[in-house]
Amino acid sequence: MLVRDLSETDLLASFVPLLPAGRATRLGPGDDAAVLGVAGDLVVTTDVLVEDRHFRTAWSTGEDVGWRAAMQNLADVAAMGAEPTGLVVALAMPGDTPAAWVTDLARGLAAACAPHGVGVIGGDLSGGPAICVAVTAFGELDGRPPVLRSGARVGDVVAVAGTLGRSAAGLALLTAHEHDGVVPPPGTDLLTRTYRRPDPPLTAGVEAAHAGATAMLDVSDGLLRDAGRIATASGVALDLDVGALAPDVELLAEAAESLGVDPLAWVLTGGEDHALLATFPPGALPASFRPVGRVGSGKGVTLDGEPWVGSFGWDHFGY
Amino acid sequence: MLVRDLSETDLLASFVPLLPAGRATRLGPGDDAAVLGVAGDLVVTTDVLVEDRHFRTAWSTGEDVGWRAAMQNLADVAAMGAEPTGLVVALAMPGDTPAAWVTDLARGLAAACAPHGVGVIGGDLSGGPAICVAVTAFGELDGRPPVLRSGARVGDVVAVAGTLGRSAAGLALLTAHEHDGVVPPPGTDLLTRTYRRPDPPLTAGVEAAHAGATAMLDVSDGLLRDAGRIATASGVALDLDVGALAPDVELLAEAAESLGVDPLAWVLTGGEDHALLATFPPGALPASFRPVGRVGSGKGVTLDGEPWVGSFGWDHFGY
């Protein structure tokens, strides 16, 4: 059964019942718009996943893609110090997409959202030349100011909640296996799973806000690049402690050896684990964060005081 | 200059300054998420426009597409009886898209939003195989309940604010001109303009809510199909008065004659002018609405008491 064999009504009838109603949903799918209960200022973010660019149907199921589309947006909400409450999804896809892929996508959205009380409150389904999943997510600040990228101060501690480099390593393993037949070492399932279904520490965002985080973002383009964004926005320098990243590097060592690459590069430039990177006044670190560096005067990002001379990863429009 | 010649940073630097800050914008583009001021329950809607399916770059400029992407979402917000306050946009596009097309899109979003105090508060830009514009829009209910599709009652008046069939006529003229060389009659610019830049009566949505509208939606798939949605959701029958539609038909007569078609079909089945269709208790019609029928018992939609035997227009996944 393909999407083009179904009317829009039929497709919606198989999709909508799979979606969770969150705790803030006042009106779910079915009318011109949904209604979300909001207590004060609302955090809003949008991100799009495009087939063959951000995912491949050969490597990720519809459920994986739904999970990832939800999580990368919920991580952006968490990175403002907000609690995610809901999301909407706009999905364009070719008529020869299996209808089961679309309901799997709904299941993946639900699996990512429901445990956090996040509702999938509305959406739009359309034809298109490739699968394109645009999610817009919402979160509550509960009266707190948002944690921006611009508030880091000299003397602050740089800290991370969540994992680094696993998604990049997982993607590299999948790519090497397909192109060069490299067999992934045993025990690397964790890495490909993180690529398919990143599991960012969503509740750590609110914890960071309560603890007085001065700046925060989620690591979507790599630790160095995203640390550089905090440095630029705050007008400070961030120095990372390579020793503090040793556990992250160690976890990737076997996979890196199998591909003949440096695992530190994955930790420093791999995004899409959607870890939270934040700065805190000394002594203020909440339990979910571990220190990885400090804020100094100047600009840019250094590693043990030295600049990084490797690549910074990819750009969204490069080929 | 093409999109692929620019970094994401460069592209954002040319795009973001063109976007209007609306009256409810607390934090605009540049961080992980935006912040929207919200006084109570929030109306949320999302819609996607896909190249060569919903628009063609040969017929619509980037500015036209930006305008239309904004307006079709703002109309959904208005159709809930809400006042639009902001939107976010997720844009995927090929690397060979002219960079000027993208900034034109930002100008079109701004032209549609700024006069209504609506902010373009955030977005995401990505590569992709075709241009895909997903807009999510927000609106305030100011403590009123949303106007759903399900509240129409026997004895209510069916009424319309805005135009009917012009966008469909405009698209038919553009198609006939390209395929068969048919020269559009003089004076039909209004129709192609409505196709490119629909101008729904946004403020009529709140007026309808204040006047006690019992049901409302925006006509995006054609008057008959959308009236049928109110009938089904409300458990009633809607009878439309063909005589009341005569001015709409008359305006399309010359264009219809040039193509040898029935202008009534455009009025009844053409969507995308995004008129508002609502039901009101007798005597409650606000000035922006004109009566076009009445609500009775039973089900479905009739025209002067008779069923429509023509086509109902297109389905989103058919080819």
Side-chain angles (χ1 to χ4, degrees):
Chain A
M1 180 80 73
L2 306 178
V3 163
R4 72 165 153 245
D5 302 324
L6 295 170
S7 70
E8 188 179 13
T9 306
D10 292 339
L11 196 61
L12 285 170
S14 66
F15 192 87
V16 170
L18 300 170
L19 306 177
R23 64 187 176 286
T25 307
R26 301 279 177 272
L27 177 70
D31 218 293
D32 289 75
V35 180
L36 184 75
V38 181
D41 287 354
L42 187 77
V43 164
V44 178
T45 185
T46 191
D47 257 322
V48 59
L49 288 180
V50 180
E51 183 181 1
D52 291 337
R53 174 163 292 265
H54 301 104
F55 67 89
R56 296 176 52 175
T57 54
W59 292 346
S60 296
T61 64
E63 209 165 332
D64 291 336
V65 173
W67 173 285
R68 193 168 145 206
M71 276 301 181
Q72 70 176 23
N73 279 281
L74 300 184
D76 278 323
V77 170
M80 303 299 280
E83 187 176 14
T85 56
L87 62 78
V88 295
V89 57
L91 175 62
M93 64 211 149
D96 63 359
T97 305
W101 197 94
V102 182
T103 48
D104 278 352
L105 182 102
R107 286 189 188 92
L109 291 168
C113 291
H116 298 281
V118 173
V120 179
I121 63 174
D124 185 33
L125 302 178
S126 168
I131 301 172
C132 179
V133 189
V135 166
T136 303
F138 314 106
E140 282 281 358
L141 287 164
D142 288 325
R144 295 181 305 274
V147 182
L148 307 183
R149 301 174 173 192
S150 53
R153 291 172 303 204
V154 175
D156 281 352
V157 175
V158 180
V160 165
T163 66
L164 296 167
R166 296 186 191 182
S167 175
L171 176 59
L173 287 168
L174 289 168
T175 305
H177 184 60
E178 176 172 284
H179 293 296
D180 306 318
V182 176
V183 177
T188 56
D189 286 2
L190 176 67
L191 308 181
T192 50
R193 197 189 328 142
T194 303
Y195 166 72
R196 292 187 175 109
R197 300 205 185 191
D199 199 8
L202 296 182
T203 57
V206 171
E207 283 168 36
H210 280 300
T214 51
M216 184 157 54
L217 47 61
D218 83 297
V219 180
S220 49
D221 293 327
L223 181 62
L224 284 174
R225 190 178 276 191
D226 286 315
R229 290 178 172 141
I230 288 180
T232 300
S234 300
V236 296
L238 268 62
D239 185 48
L240 302 177
D241 174 2
V242 176
L245 301 172
D248 306 275
V249 174
E250 177 57 31
L251 193 132
L252 307 178
E254 201 172 355
E257 191 178 358
S258 77
L259 302 182
V261 301
D262 177 5
L264 180 61
W266 283 335
V267 170
L268 294 175
T269 68
E272 310 207 327
D273 288 36
H274 301 288
L276 297 180
L277 175 67
T279 56
F280 295 90
L285 242 60
S288 48
F289 281 80
R290 56 202 163 96
V292 298
R294 61 209 73 73
V295 178
S297 58
K299 61 181 188 173
V301 179
T302 48
L303 294 166
D304 293 340
E306 302 292 330
W308 170 251
V309 293
S311 155
F312 279 80
W314 71 315
D315 190 77
H316 290 233
F317 299 100
Y319 282 86
Chain B
M1 181 79 73
L2 305 178
V3 163
R4 71 164 155 245
D5 302 324
L6 295 170
S7 70
E8 187 179 11
T9 306
D10 291 339
L11 195 61
L12 285 170
S14 66
F15 192 88
V16 170
L18 300 170
L19 305 177
R23 63 186 178 285
T25 307
R26 301 280 177 272
L27 177 71
D31 217 293
D32 290 75
V35 179
L36 184 75
V38 181
D41 287 355
L42 187 76
V43 163
V44 177
T45 185
T46 191
D47 257 322
V48 59
L49 287 180
V50 180
E51 183 181 2
D52 291 338
R53 174 164 292 265
H54 301 104
F55 68 88
R56 297 176 50 175
T57 56
W59 291 346
S60 295
T61 65
E63 210 165 331
D64 292 335
V65 174
W67 172 286
R68 192 168 146 209
M71 277 301 181
Q72 71 175 23
N73 279 281
L74 300 184
D76 279 324
V77 170
M80 301 300 280
E83 185 176 18
T85 55
L87 62 79
V88 295
V89 57
L91 175 62
M93 65 212 148
D96 63 0
T97 305
W101 196 93
V102 182
T103 48
D104 277 352
L105 182 102
R107 286 189 187 92
L109 291 168
C113 291
H116 299 280
V118 173
V120 179
I121 64 175
D124 185 34
L125 302 179
S126 168
I131 302 172
C132 179
V133 189
V135 166
T136 303
F138 314 106
E140 282 280 358
L141 287 164
D142 288 327
R144 293 181 306 275
V147 182
L148 307 182
R149 301 174 175 193
S150 52
R153 292 172 301 205
V154 174
D156 282 352
V157 176
V158 179
V160 165
T163 66
L164 295 167
R166 294 186 191 182
S167 174
L171 175 59
L173 287 168
L174 289 167
T175 305
H177 184 60
E178 176 172 284
H179 292 297
D180 306 318
V182 176
V183 177
T188 55
D189 286 3
L190 175 66
L191 308 181
T192 50
R193 199 188 326 141
T194 303
Y195 166 72
R196 292 185 175 111
R197 298 205 186 193
D199 199 8
L202 297 182
T203 56
V206 171
E207 284 169 34
H210 280 300
T214 51
M216 184 158 55
L217 48 60
D218 84 296
V219 180
S220 48
D221 293 328
L223 181 62
L224 284 175
R225 190 177 277 192
D226 286 316
R229 289 177 173 143
I230 289 180
T232 301
S234 300
V236 295
L238 269 60
D239 185 49
L240 302 177
D241 174 1
V242 176
L245 301 171
D248 305 276
V249 174
E250 177 58 31
L251 194 134
L252 307 177
E254 200 171 357
E257 191 178 358
S258 77
L259 301 183
V261 300
D262 177 5
L264 180 62
W266 283 335
V267 170
L268 294 174
T269 67
E272 309 207 326
D273 288 36
H274 300 289
L276 297 180
L277 176 67
T279 55
F280 296 90
L285 242 61
S288 48
F289 281 79
R290 56 201 161 98
V292 298
R294 61 209 72 73
V295 179
S297 58
K299 62 181 188 174
V301 179
T302 48
L303 294 166
D304 293 339
E306 301 292 330
W308 169 251
V309 293
S311 153
F312 279 80
W314 71 315
D315 190 76
H316 290 233
F317 300 100
Y319 282 88

